[in-house]
Amino acid sequence: MNLLDLYVTEVGRRLPQKTRADIEAEIRSALQDLVDERTQATGKPIDDERVLAVLNEYGDPEKVAASYVGDRYLIGPKLYTTFVKVVFPVVLFTVILVLTGLGSWLFLTHSTTEDWIQLVAQTIGNLVGSVLLTSGIITIIFAILERTVPEFGLKKVEWDPHRLLKLQPPDRIRPGIPIVIIVLTCLAIRVFNFSPGIWVGGATFTSVTEAWQCYPSCGTYTNVWSLSFLSATFDRYLYALDVLWGLSIILCVLLVSQGYWRTWTRGADIGLKALWIGLAAMMLAGPSLIGITPADLKAAGFPDVAAQASSSIDLVNQMVRVMLGLMIVLSAEVIVRQLTRLLRRPKPLA
Amino acid sequence: MIGNLILELRRGVIVLGVLSQLDEERYGYALINCLKEKGLEVDQGTLYPLLRRLESQGLLESSWRIEADRPRRYYVLSKAGRELLPRLTTEWTEIVSAMNKMLK
């Protein structure tokens, strides 16, 4: 990514998503025209210093973005980046909280389809309400700040295009992928640490009533069993998995908040992927991670299921191994890609 | 303060100046040069947002074209823009005439 791209990105990240790509393309085209004019005027190939002079002439990215946004927006370019950085984690946390509640119920209970539909609909309602409330409050706070901050006389740091030279990241990070990773990782932590068994039946023991209770309500239930689905071997890997999941979440949060790949975050990603490869290789080479056996099912009082379960358990075992293999390949691909980006020099300007 | 007053005065003039030069298709940088040659200097940070605003108001149309391996956005008056331009020109002529009388 050259200086022009970095500058355009600096403007673009202060613009609303809807118009961002179009305005970025226009600014890039306009800057290229200016650069061409300077090249023709001097008769010399353009270098970084001349490009920086052009960017200085074009102006502070914040002001350029403000000229496109105008006064019609509730939160302008001055606070837009900070607003996104604040509202995003808060909304994300809200979503994770509500989804964790739904996930817990789904894993801990065994109810009818009607119950599921009812709960999912209720969860969607709660989710929309919670997200609207939290984001609304934050938006109002920022809208007030937008109109009052200049009165506090905060010192404005003069924009210097040379700052672009200090930026190492060649790529902007779209927040979608890190968010998906965060949500899935949170769910994985929840599932593997707190719901490792299969609930056979539809009830759980509550400390409040000191009795077995069905969710949401399915009458009296007897013969409740919990079988361990994963093997003791898996439990030995769980601490390492938790550490790697935790590190992955921290990295994703940093990526979302920074908006760019930086040298150290790329390095961290490479290190993390290498650890994932090591762990996946150990799990692949070691004993089976699936702990449930036909004998367990038979002992639990399900002889019919046990008779047919052997081939299914073998299939699950194979699937787990394929997934581990895929994980190794994909992680290796990420390492190669990140190394390539780290070693690649910025493209010379035309 | 004086700077703001001059900016305010120029703002309306720039709109008319831009519309008057877009009876034929031009891209932003060419339009800046065209206006400059005729004595009206407009910086890029003013022109490009203005072009977008005029387009959103339906007075201009735009299209992207690839020229010398580079995309350029060309602007031209829309039908509404062509209808508006003579009315704005008449208005401007009357204002200039009135102001000339007042400032003599």
Side-chain angles (χ1 to χ4, degrees):
Chain A
M1 187 180 276
N2 59 36
L3 282 169
L4 294 186
D5 289 330
L6 286 170
Y7 179 86
V8 170
T9 305
E10 280 293 298
V11 178
R13 72 191 182 93
R14 293 174 167 87
L15 294 169
Q17 182 83 36
K18 191 180 165 189
T19 53
R20 186 178 296 157
D22 196 45
I23 294 174
E24 281 183 349
E26 188 160 65
I27 293 173
R28 189 177 285 108
S29 171
L31 286 170
Q32 196 65 58
D33 280 327
L34 270 173
V35 168
D36 285 356
E37 187 202 60
R38 299 292 186 279
T39 311
Q40 283 168 10
T42 59
K44 294 175 184 172
I46 197 83
D47 57 18
D48 278 357
E49 274 309 312
R50 286 193 180 83
V51 173
L52 289 171
V54 165
L55 297 179
N56 198 31
E57 186 183 318
Y58 208 87
D60 184 341
E62 187 179 312
K63 286 182 182 166
V64 174
S67 68
Y68 279 94
V69 173
D71 304 326
R72 291 170 297 139
Y73 287 86
L74 200 57
I75 297 160
K78 182 177 60 186
L79 290 177
Y80 183 74
T81 315
T82 317
F83 170 72
V84 172
K85 281 181 183 173
V86 171
V87 81
F88 192 75
V90 173
V91 169
L92 184 64
F93 179 74
T94 308
V95 171
I96 290 170
L97 210 63
V98 176
L99 289 181
T100 306
L102 175 68
S104 307
W105 188 88
L106 292 177
F107 279 102
L108 291 172
T109 65
H110 181 86
S111 299
T112 62
T113 310
E114 287 76 16
D115 292 334
W116 283 40
I117 291 169
Q118 190 186 350
L119 189 83
V120 168
Q122 195 181 338
T123 304
I124 290 170
N126 288 342
L127 193 63
V128 172
S130 307
V131 167
L132 283 178
L133 185 69
T134 49
S135 56
I137 290 169
I138 294 168
T139 306
I140 289 169
I141 291 169
F142 271 81
I144 293 168
L145 285 175
E146 174 74 31
R147 282 147 189 82
T148 55
V149 161
E151 292 165 18
F152 299 154
L154 292 178
K155 193 180 174 186
K156 174 87 175 76
V157 179
E158 202 64 34
W159 183 72
D160 178 2
H162 286 83
R163 275 181 10 210
L164 292 172
L165 288 172
K166 294 177 185 167
L167 285 178
Q168 294 299 321
D171 283 333
R172 185 196 310 174
I173 294 165
R174 306 276 177 199
I177 293 173
I179 290 171
V180 171
I181 293 173
I182 290 170
V183 172
L184 292 180
T185 307
C186 287
L187 281 175
I189 291 171
R190 175 72 183 80
V191 169
F192 288 106
N193 283 277
F194 303 110
S195 310
I198 296 177
W199 285 96
V200 183
T204 187
F205 191 80
T206 69
S207 56
V208 179
T209 59
E210 293 191 346
W212 289 101
Q213 193 175 334
C214 291
Y215 285 97
S217 146
C218 53
T220 310
Y221 209 98
T222 55
N223 202 18
V224 177
W225 292 83
S226 175
L227 299 179
S228 178
F229 184 70
L230 296 164
S231 67
T233 309
F234 178 83
D235 290 342
R236 287 205 295 274
Y237 294 122
L238 194 55
Y239 293 113
L241 280 170
D242 282 339
V243 170
L244 291 185
W245 280 328
L247 290 173
S248 298
I249 290 176
I250 292 168
L251 181 62
C252 286
V253 170
L254 285 171
L255 293 178
V256 171
S257 65
Q258 291 184 348
Y260 297 98
W261 278 110
R262 296 178 191 279
T263 305
W264 71 270
T265 46
R266 283 192 189 283
D269 196 33
I270 291 170
L272 203 53
K273 293 294 183 293
L275 290 174
W276 275 117
I277 289 176
L279 185 62
M282 281 169 68
M283 292 166 96
L284 195 60
S288 170
L289 302 176
I290 305 300
I292 198 166
T293 62
D296 293 334
L297 288 167
K298 196 174 177 182
F302 298 94
D304 297 342
V305 179
Q308 299 163 2
S310 183
S311 58
S312 301
I313 291 170
D314 284 346
L315 184 67
V316 172
N317 257 318
Q318 291 305 319
M319 281 171 63
V320 169
R321 289 182 181 282
V322 168
M323 281 168 68
L324 287 170
L326 263 177
M327 198 171 143
I328 291 172
V329 172
L330 291 175
S331 297
E333 189 270 334
V334 171
I335 289 176
V336 171
R337 186 152 37 91
Q338 295 287 36
L339 280 173
T340 310
R341 294 271 165 82
L342 275 178
L343 298 173
R344 193 179 67 184
R345 297 287 173 212
K347 287 177 189 170
L349 293 166
Chain B
M1 184 184 167
I2 296 169
N4 282 344
L5 286 173
I6 292 172
L7 268 178
E8 221 168 280
L9 193 64
R10 282 170 55 89
R11 200 170 287 159
V13 179
I14 291 169
V15 172
L16 183 56
V18 165
L19 290 175
S20 71
Q21 300 307 302
L22 286 177
D23 53 338
E24 61 181 86
E25 283 188 318
R26 290 182 207 275
Y27 60 92
Y29 192 70
L31 181 59
I32 285 174
N33 285 336
C34 174
L35 291 167
K36 193 175 174 182
E37 278 169 20
K38 291 178 180 173
L40 185 65
E41 290 216 20
V42 185
D43 64 60
Q44 317 238 3
T46 303
L47 183 75
Y48 286 101
L50 173 66
L51 289 170
R52 291 182 71 86
R53 202 159 57 244
L54 292 174
E55 189 187 18
S56 69
Q57 289 168 355
L59 300 175
L60 297 180
E61 289 168 352
S62 74
S63 55
W64 283 97
R65 283 194 217 145
I66 306 287
E67 280 184 353
D69 291 337
R70 184 190 321 157
R72 275 194 174 127
R73 186 176 208 157
Y74 278 80
Y75 290 91
V76 69
L77 283 178
S78 67
K79 188 169 175 285
R82 286 183 194 284
E83 284 169 8
L84 181 71
L85 184 58
R87 286 171 59 193
L88 284 181
T89 308
T90 306
E91 193 71 26
W92 170 253
T93 311
E94 286 172 10
I95 290 170
V96 169
S97 171
M99 290 309 296
N100 279 340
K101 281 177 199 166
M102 279 188 261
L103 296 173
K104 262 182 188 172

